[in-house]
């Protein structure tokens, strides 16, 4: 998703000028399948979190989002954008991807997910409504008639 903020030149109407745009692109190949379809949920994030975009997340004892750590916090989804909360409060309505088919190589895994097997199985058994499948993109061969 690109973020485009057009400049406001209302005070310069009639004055020649130039501008430029900076467009940040989403990494290609993140979505690698169409079933289950992509969907997300706005969820509450625990206090004192600093989680980079596309990092698998889980739930703490209060049901708030924290970084997923294998053997401690089961992965239920991943965050779409950077999450930063201060120590004083939780953050409400943060977008968490809960369903879809994604490339495990483009997620920001915790160090505990140190093998391909652990990454591919990270979301198996996650509570409903989570339905995330890890699948690397496949290269194809064109067959001629």
């Amino acid at each position: 998703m690109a973020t485009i903020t057009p400049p406001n030149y209302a005070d310069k109407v009639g004055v020649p000028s130039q501008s430029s745009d900076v467009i940040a692109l989403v990494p290609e190949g993140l979505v690698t399948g169409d079933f289950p379809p992509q969907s997300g949920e706005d969820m509450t994030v625990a206090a004192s979190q600093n989680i980079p975009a596309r990092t698998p997340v889980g739930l703490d004892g209060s049901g708030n989002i924290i970084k997923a750590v294998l053997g401690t916090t089961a992965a239920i989804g991943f965050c779409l954008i950077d999450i930063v909360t201060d120590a004083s409060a939780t953050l409400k309505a943060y977008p968490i991807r809960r369903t879809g088919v994604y490339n495990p190589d483009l997620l920001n895994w915790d160090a505990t997910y140190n093998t391909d097997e652990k990454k591919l199985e990270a979301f198996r058994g996650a509570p409903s409504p989570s339905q995330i499948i890890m699948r690397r993109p496949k290269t194809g061969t064109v067959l001629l008639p």
Side-chain angles (χ1 to χ4, degrees):
M1 172 187 342
T3 301
I4 301 174
T5 306
N8 182 359
Y9 291 128
D11 60 336
K12 296 180 175 70
V13 172
V15 178
S17 64
Q18 241 179 324
S19 68
S20 64
D21 294 324
V22 176
I23 300 174
L25 301 175
V26 173
E28 287 189 38
L30 177 61
V31 178
T32 56
D34 60 356
F35 188 82
Q38 299 177 59
S39 70
E41 180 179 3
D42 288 344
M43 301 183 77
T44 304
V45 178
S48 301
Q49 298 299 305
N50 187 354
I51 306 172
R54 297 184 325 272
T55 299
V57 295
L59 300 172
D60 67 6
S62 300
N64 298 320
I65 291 294
I66 58 173
K67 187 176 182 179
V69 177
L70 186 64
T72 305
T73 308
I76 60 132
F78 65 91
C79 56
L80 294 172
I81 55 179
D82 294 338
I83 295 176
V84 178
T85 58
D86 60 26
S88 62
T90 59
L91 183 62
K92 306 233 184 262
Y94 230 85
I96 305 298
R97 186 63 71 200
R98 300 286 305 264
T99 67
V101 184
Y102 303 100
N103 182 353
D105 297 333
L106 293 181
L107 296 185
N108 295 315
W109 297 96
D110 181 74
T112 57
Y113 292 96
N114 55 6
T115 67
D116 284 345
E117 182 181 3
K118 290 175 183 176
K119 292 174 185 177
L120 293 173
E121 295 179 359
F123 298 97
R124 288 193 187 149
S128 181
S130 293
Q131 270 190 311
I132 292 182
I133 297 171
M134 294 284 101
R135 181 184 306 143
R136 287 190 171 85
K138 304 286 187 208
T139 56
T141 302
V142 178
L143 300 175
L144 299 175

